[in-house]
C-alpha cells in the first residue's frame, strides 16, 4: 500500500474519471459513494465502483471507497460492493465514536474471505468527532488513519471557511496529536478553493510542516502542488542519508554517541531522518 501524501476524491458515478484514476499522479484515489452521488444514482455507482476495482483497477495506486454514513440506508450495500470489489481501504464518513468503527470492522470480517486485508480510515468532520479523536485513533486493528473533513466541521460550527484555515487550527492539532500517539496516518482536509493555487501551496506546505502524513484533494489539478509540498527537498534527503550512514557506522564501530555537523545523532534524529527518506520514496 502506498503512502497517503495525496488522496484524490473521485465521484463514484463518473466512469470517465474513474477510468483515468491511475493516470492522475495521486498516491490514493477515493472512489466516492457519498456526497458526490445523488440518492437515485447510488445503485449504479456501486456497480461502477465495483467494476473499477475488479476490471479497471489503477496500478500502483491505493484504492479507497468512501461509503455513506451509518445513519443512512445505503452503507451496508456500499460496503458489500467495496468489499467484493477488493478495495484496499474503507473511508467511514462522519465518524464520531470508536463503536462506529467496530460496526464496520465486524461487517468486513464477516462479509468476505478477504475482509482481514481491508483497512479502515475514519473521516472526522464534526465537533464530537474531533473531541473523541483520541478514542477513535486508539481503535487499533484495521484502522490505519484519520482524515479531517473541514467543510462539514466548519458548517456545523457556524464558522466561515477561509484559505488561511485559522478556524480549523484546533481541529487539526487535536486530530494530529491523536493520530501520532496511536501511530496511524493523519491526513489533512482538502483545500476547497479550487482555483487558488497559491493558497493551496501555502495550505499544503503548512500541513506538511505540522506533521500530517498527507492531504486529501478535490481536484486532479491539486495533485502536483500537494505532492511537492510533502516531498522532502534534495537538501533534506541528503541530510537524512548522511544521518543514517553516520548512525550505521557508529553502530558497526561500537560507538554509543556520534555527531554530524555539530549535532548529536540520537534516536529522535534517526527517526526523523528515516521519515524523510520514507517520504521521498
Amino acid at each position: 500500500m502506498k503512502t497517503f501524501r495525496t488522496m484524490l476524491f473521485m465521484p463514484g458515478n463518473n466512469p470517465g474519471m474513474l477510468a483515468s484514476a491511475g493516470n492522475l499522479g495521486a498516491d490514493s484515489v477515493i472512489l466516492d459513494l457519498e456526497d458526490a452521488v445523488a440518492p437515485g444514482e447510488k445503485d449504479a455507482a456501486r456497480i461502477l465502483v465495483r467494476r473499477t476495482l475488479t476490471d479497471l483497477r489503477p496500478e500502483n495506486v491505493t484504492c479507497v471507497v468512501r461509503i455513506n454514513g451509518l445513519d443512512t440506508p445505503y452503507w451496508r450495500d456500499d460496503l458489500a460492493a467495496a468489499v467484493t470489489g477488493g478495495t484496499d481501504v474503507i473511508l467511514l464518513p462522519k465518524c464520531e465514536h470508536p463503536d462506529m468503527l467496530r460496526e464496520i470492522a465486524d461487517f468486513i470480517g464477516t462479509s468476505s474471505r478477504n475482509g482481514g486485508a481491508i483497512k479502515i480510515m475514519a473521516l472526522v468532520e464534526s465537533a464530537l468527532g474531533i473531541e473523541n479523536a483520541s478514542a477513535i485513533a486508539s481503535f487499533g486493528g484495521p484502522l490505519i488513519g484519520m482524515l479531517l473533513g473541514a467543510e462539514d466541521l466548519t458548517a456545523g460550527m457556524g464558522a466561515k471557511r477561509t484559505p488561511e484555515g485559522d478556524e480549523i487550527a484546533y481541529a487539526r492539532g487535536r486530530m494530529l496529536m491523536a493520530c501520532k500517539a496511536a501511530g496511524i496516518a493523519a491526513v489533512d482536509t482538502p483545500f476547497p478553493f479550487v482555483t487558488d493555487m497559491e493558497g493551496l501551496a501555502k495550505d499544503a506546505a503548512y500541513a506538511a510542516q505540522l506533521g500530517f502524513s498527507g492531504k486529501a484533494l478535490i481536484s486532479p489539478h491539486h495533485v502536483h502542488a500537494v505532492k511537492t509540498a510533502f516531498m522532502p527537498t534534495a537538501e533534506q534527503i541528503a541530510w537524512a542519508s548522511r544521518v543514517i550512514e553516520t548512525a550505521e557506522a557508529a553502530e558497526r564501530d561500537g560507538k554509543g554517541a556520534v555527531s554530524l555537523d555539530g549535532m548529536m545523532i540520537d534516536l529522535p534524529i534517526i527517526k526523523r531522518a528515516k521519515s524523510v527518506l520514507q517520504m521521498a520514496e
Side-chain angles (χ1 to χ4, degrees), residues 39 42-43 46 68-78:
K42 298 289 186 187
D43 289 340
R46 289 186 199 104
N68 284 274
L70 300 187
D71 59 344
T72 74
Y74 309 119
W75 70 270
R76 289 183 177 83
D77 289 338
D78 293 346

Side-chain angles (χ1 to χ4, degrees), residues 18-19 47-58 84-86:
L18 296 181
I47 294 171
L48 186 56
V49 165
R50 185 169 60 233
R51 181 165 179 265
T52 299
L53 292 169
T54 55
D55 300 340
L56 303 170
R57 195 181 190 92
T84 55

Side-chain angles (χ1 to χ4, degrees), residues 182-217:
I184 62 174
V187 181
D188 192 35
T189 187
F191 187 73
F193 308 97
V194 178
T195 59
D196 181 3
M197 299 304 290
E198 183 178 354
L200 169 67
K202 290 180 180 178
D203 191 62
Y206 182 61
Q209 176 193 338
L210 289 176
F212 276 95
S213 312
K215 191 171 180 64
L217 319 170

Side-chain angles (χ1 to χ4, degrees), residues 244-264:
I244 298 302
E245 291 170 2
T246 301
E248 290 176 348
E251 183 175 358
R252 287 194 302 271
D253 297 340
K255 296 180 179 178
V258 292
S259 63
L260 176 66
D261 300 334
M263 175 184 286
M264 186 65 67

